[in-house]
Amino acid sequence: MTDYKRGDIVLVNFNPQKKAEEVGKVRPAVIVSETALNGILDLVTVVALSTNLIEGAEPLRVRIAKRESLKQDSDAMIEQLRSVSKRRIGERIASLNDEEMEKIECGIKMMLAFKS
């Protein structure tokens, strides 16, 4: 894959997993870094997805309905924000809409204590 667009859901190889709190395995993740920067940097910032759904956990979990090649409803795990090498990124499987990206942005701002 050579095109890394903000809002795309891509497969990411999170192995090796260093600690139990960190996500592992190959799993979907949402690209949250700016598309223009993704074309320049060797790293892309993503939020990992999980099919272990937790109800009422917004803004730290954002529900993403299955679509395109994302086969199950998933939660974007805002606490699993991570920059990864482009070599870890596989195929694009889906994209988020503007409302979903806004919810993820809200969760990231809260986690990083950014004031609006």
Side-chain angles (χ1 to χ4, degrees):
M1 181 175 171
T2 58
D3 207 11
Y4 305 93
K5 293 182 182 172
R6 178 178 171 83
D8 278 353
I9 300 173
V10 294
L11 291 178
V12 177
N13 184 353
F14 287 101
N15 290 323
Q17 177 184 11
K18 299 289 186 183
K19 302 289 181 189
E21 303 82 25
E22 298 173 349
V23 294
K25 71 183 181 181
V26 176
R27 67 172 65 232
V30 178
I31 296 176
V32 296
S33 48
E34 178 60 41
T35 301
L37 288 176
N38 296 338
I40 299 168
L41 301 174
D42 293 329
L43 297 171
V44 175
T45 304
V46 299
V47 170
L49 300 185
S50 174
T51 56
N52 180 14
L53 306 179
I54 299 176
E55 297 299 327
E58 252 187 60
L60 291 179
R61 292 275 183 129
V62 176
R63 185 66 41 86
I64 308 299
K66 65 181 179 178
R67 68 193 72 175
E68 299 173 57
S69 295
L70 182 66
K71 300 192 186 314
Q72 292 181 284
D73 289 353
S74 302
D75 278 353
M77 302 180 289
I78 305 304
E79 76 279 8
Q80 294 293 338
L81 177 68
R82 183 169 164 189
S83 292
V84 298
S85 167
K86 289 177 180 175
R87 290 179 283 178
R88 292 181 175 270
I89 299 177
E91 67 181 298
R92 180 197 163 281
I93 59 173
S95 292
L96 296 187
N97 62 41
D98 291 341
E99 181 181 340
E100 291 165 327
M101 278 305 297
E102 286 176 17
K103 288 180 180 181
I104 288 174
E105 289 168 5
C106 178
I108 291 170
K109 286 178 183 177
M110 182 188 140
M111 190 178 89
L112 299 177
F114 285 151
K115 305 291 184 213
S116 301

